[in-house]
Amino acid sequence: MELDAYPTRVILMEEYTVTLPLWDRSPSPDMWFGPFSPGALGLPPELEERLIAWNQRYEYLMGTDFKWPSEQEHLDFVVDGHLLAAALQRAFGSRVLVLYREDDSELSRIPQPTPATPPTGSVHIMARQNGVLKPITMPAHPRGSVVQQILQMSDAEIEAAGARIDVAALTWQPERMPTRILLRSDSAESPLADRSPLFALSDDRIEPATLGLSATLTARLQQWDARGPEPRVEQLVAGHELAAAVQREIGPQVSVLFPEADAARSRPAPELVAILDRMNPLNR
């Protein structure tokens, strides 16, 4: 396998029938997508063997039922993934950003020709016309879309639909246990950020005590966040290792993300926002 260009962003992601579970997330027309073939990235053979074994372990544990045999085996696998990401980052050095579990799709997006500014309330998409990929403009919420239908529903219809929705389960509250957290070292706030896709999330800061983290791990997080300028690779490696430690303490049900979280997965669906926006005045 010969690469047209060496990647700048690589994600570690388990998958069935894959040998090396590494995928290209470079925002480049030369993006390979993946998976990469063994030897293509010049990684140490022993590290590639660990990566291959990790993915084989996933296939073995999940089997054909697509279920983890136990919570402990699930946790061990995810934690080992964080540690493999740390080893990968050290092996790549500063030329590649290693992602694990998730990437920000906007940062991985291949640049497209910039069209004229769309009218207010419109969005640009790329569509194929006569075999050619072209930018076209369409309303942000086209007529007939679910969001438009919700906006046009009567109050009685909204109340009837809302009767089947557990609003509390979908709405953020202070001190609520998150489902997704991001480690960040470039913020003046907490090094832990809530990336749960909840309605009305107004403060993304998470205190370690909310997660029940140990005093030792809390001190490590604070030290990592306060390091200031240092070699980028060391900061990234330490971040992956800290993510493993946080994951170990809070269990597999909360996704610990580093160094990125996808913005689209970190916010509620537009349809949910639309109906909850309609329901709120009715419940007052």
Side-chain angles (χ1 to χ4, degrees):
M1 172 184 177
E2 293 186 5
L3 302 176
D4 292 329
Y6 201 83
T8 57
R9 293 162 55 84
V10 169
I11 189 167
L12 169 62
M13 183 171 60
E14 67 274 14
E15 185 56 272
Y16 281 89
T17 71
V18 165
T19 301
L20 191 66
L22 298 178
W23 313 75
D24 197 350
R25 289 295 184 269
S26 309
S28 166
D30 296 321
M31 176 194 284
W32 175 258
F33 292 101
F36 290 103
S37 299
L41 297 172
L43 294 170
E46 61 274 15
L47 179 53
E48 285 199 343
E49 290 172 6
R50 289 174 59 193
L51 291 163
I52 292 169
W54 179 76
N55 197 71
Q56 290 173 339
R57 178 174 152 204
Y58 169 76
E59 294 187 83
Y60 172 76
L61 290 173
M62 295 292 280
T64 56
D65 295 331
F66 304 100
K67 293 181 180 179
W68 293 101
S70 70
E71 185 171 292
Q72 186 61 51
E73 286 176 301
H74 183 190
L75 176 60
D76 290 343
F77 178 84
V78 175
V79 169
D80 286 347
H82 283 295
L83 296 175
L84 273 172
L88 267 173
Q89 188 65 72
R90 192 176 294 283
F92 278 128
S94 60
R95 59 182 174 169
V96 176
L97 177 66
V98 175
L99 308 157
Y100 174 51
R101 309 203 76 182
E102 198 167 294
D103 65 307
D104 188 331
S105 57
E106 288 300 316
L107 297 178
S108 298
R109 188 184 304 278
I110 299 173
Q112 302 288 349
T114 303
T117 303
T120 302
S122 300
V123 295
H124 280 310
I125 64 171
M126 300 299 293
R128 195 169 295 279
Q129 297 179 341
N130 299 322
V132 179
L133 198 62
K134 298 179 179 179
I136 65 172
T137 300
M138 63 180 295
H141 300 299
R143 183 178 301 175
S145 70
V146 174
V147 170
Q148 281 292 337
Q149 292 177 47
I150 291 170
L151 296 177
Q152 294 168 5
M153 290 168 65
S154 67
D155 288 350
E157 290 173 321
I158 291 293
E159 287 182 327
R164 301 188 296 271
I165 297 176
D166 186 351
V167 177
L170 301 171
T171 303
W172 176 82
Q173 295 291 337
E175 305 300 319
R176 174 176 177 156
M177 189 69 172
T179 57
R180 294 158 46 85
I181 62 175
L182 172 69
L183 268 67
R184 58 184 182 185
S185 63
D186 57 350
S187 171
E189 308 294 343
S190 168
L192 299 171
D194 194 341
R195 290 295 179 264
S196 307
L198 295 172
F199 180 71
L201 196 159
S202 59
D203 186 353
D204 70 355
R205 294 172 300 175
I206 303 176
E207 295 303 324
T210 301
L211 301 175
L213 299 183
S214 65
T216 300
L217 182 51
T218 297
R220 286 180 60 192
L221 283 166
Q222 292 170 342
Q223 183 181 24
W224 175 71
D225 191 36
R227 281 180 176 179
E230 70 169 348
R232 178 172 181 263
V233 173
E234 294 306 316
Q235 185 79 348
L236 290 170
V237 170
H240 284 296
E241 292 172 342
L242 271 173
V246 172
Q247 191 78 72
R248 174 67 70 189
E249 289 202 2
I250 64 177
Q253 303 310 318
V254 177
S255 296
V256 179
L257 306 170
F258 179 81
E260 293 175 3
D262 187 23
R265 297 183 189 180
S266 302
R267 56 178 176 254
E271 297 81 4
L272 175 63
V273 173
I275 196 164
L276 292 182
D277 275 339
R278 288 288 312 276
M279 289 174 61
N280 274 344
L282 301 177
N283 293 333
R284 290 173 185 165

